[in-house]
Amino acid sequence: MATSLFLGSQLAVNLLDAQSLLAAFGVLGVGVVMFAETGLLIGFFLPGDSLLFTAGLLCTGSGQQGVKLSLPALLVAAAVGALAGSQCGYLLGRKAGGALLARSRSARLHEGARRAEELLERYGHAKAIVLARFVPVVRTVLNPMAGALQVPVRTFTVWQVAGGLLWSLGLTLAGYALGSSVPNVDKYLLPMVAVIVLVSLIPVALEVLRSRRAAKEGVRG
């Protein structure tokens, strides 16, 4: 009876809600979601940004559901999941090429693939791999795209590690810092998550503006 109730509670988890995921699976759930979102095409819909930020906040014990996570364990889980997932996605892309993407009927996923390919072509491997971490869906699709396009293994690994650590640890520590400094901060969680997602897009926006400016100067020259 107890087992069936436990299983029922797990099945009732809302995969799109960060607090629901954390309440059900804790730190382990963060690692699994990071791996799925960055390594498997089916994970493109998962709430990576909000999950990292909310998990960091819950390390301070600020959650309404009484959930408190261990910060060191969370940082390890987030980093390992994000880095291992990205590398797995790359290897799948090298072996399967575009076959996996071609089978998907998701318009959102195909749009993410188009944007990922544009990033790789416009900014080069290093910048594209780092910037993609901060763009939902694109961070899922870029890894297999990089593999399919034969980006060198060493180049991909170095820059996905750099971008992965910046993204996963940065958002987690941002949530922890805010939760530690602002009382009852969880009451404002949804608007804060929206702000975090917008802030995470700043590097991409700046790079786009810089690229357009350089292109205009090139035309004038």
Side-chain angles (χ1 to χ4, degrees):
M1 178 68 176
T3 302
S4 63
L5 288 175
F6 174 79
L7 291 174
S9 66
Q10 304 308 306
L11 292 173
V13 172
N14 181 358
L15 294 178
L16 300 179
D17 181 73
Q19 284 192 301
S20 177
L21 279 166
L22 292 168
F25 303 113
V27 167
L28 178 61
V30 174
V32 172
V33 168
M34 291 300 101
F35 181 89
E37 190 191 13
T38 58
L40 306 175
L41 289 177
I42 58 173
F44 73 91
F45 65 90
L46 293 169
D49 294 317
S50 59
L51 183 66
L52 290 170
F53 183 78
T54 304
L57 187 150
L58 291 180
C59 287
T60 65
S62 301
Q64 295 178 345
Q65 301 178 35
V67 180
K68 184 173 183 179
L69 306 177
S70 165
L71 182 62
L74 173 60
L75 293 174
V76 171
V80 170
L83 301 187
S86 183
Q87 203 70 25
C88 177
Y90 171 79
L91 294 174
L92 287 174
R94 283 183 73 92
K95 292 182 178 181
L100 293 175
L101 184 62
R103 293 176 185 173
S104 174
R105 297 180 180 179
S106 171
R108 186 181 177 193
L109 197 59
H110 283 282
E111 174 63 17
R114 186 188 64 78
R115 293 174 66 190
E117 192 167 8
E118 285 180 355
L119 277 176
L120 287 167
E121 291 178 355
R122 180 179 298 179
Y123 304 119
H125 298 159
K127 284 185 179 180
I129 292 167
V130 172
L131 291 173
R133 286 287 190 174
F134 298 90
V135 185
V137 183
V138 175
R139 63 171 159 261
T140 303
V141 184
L142 183 130
N143 302 316
M145 287 292 294
L149 295 172
Q150 300 298 311
V151 173
V153 176
R154 183 175 180 180
T155 299
F156 178 81
T157 302
V158 168
W159 292 105
Q160 77 93 349
V161 168
L165 291 177
L166 182 64
W167 173 63
S168 61
L169 302 187
L171 281 179
T172 301
L173 291 173
Y176 179 78
L178 196 59
S180 300
S181 58
V182 180
N184 301 316
V185 71
D186 56 299
K187 294 180 179 179
Y188 314 101
L189 186 58
L190 288 178
M192 282 192 303
V193 167
V195 170
I196 288 296
V197 171
L198 290 175
V199 170
S200 72
L201 293 175
I202 289 177
V204 178
L206 291 176
E207 192 58 41
V208 169
L209 291 174
R210 188 178 296 115
S211 177
R212 289 180 176 176
R213 189 174 302 162
K216 288 181 179 178
E217 291 176 355
V219 171
R220 292 173 183 174

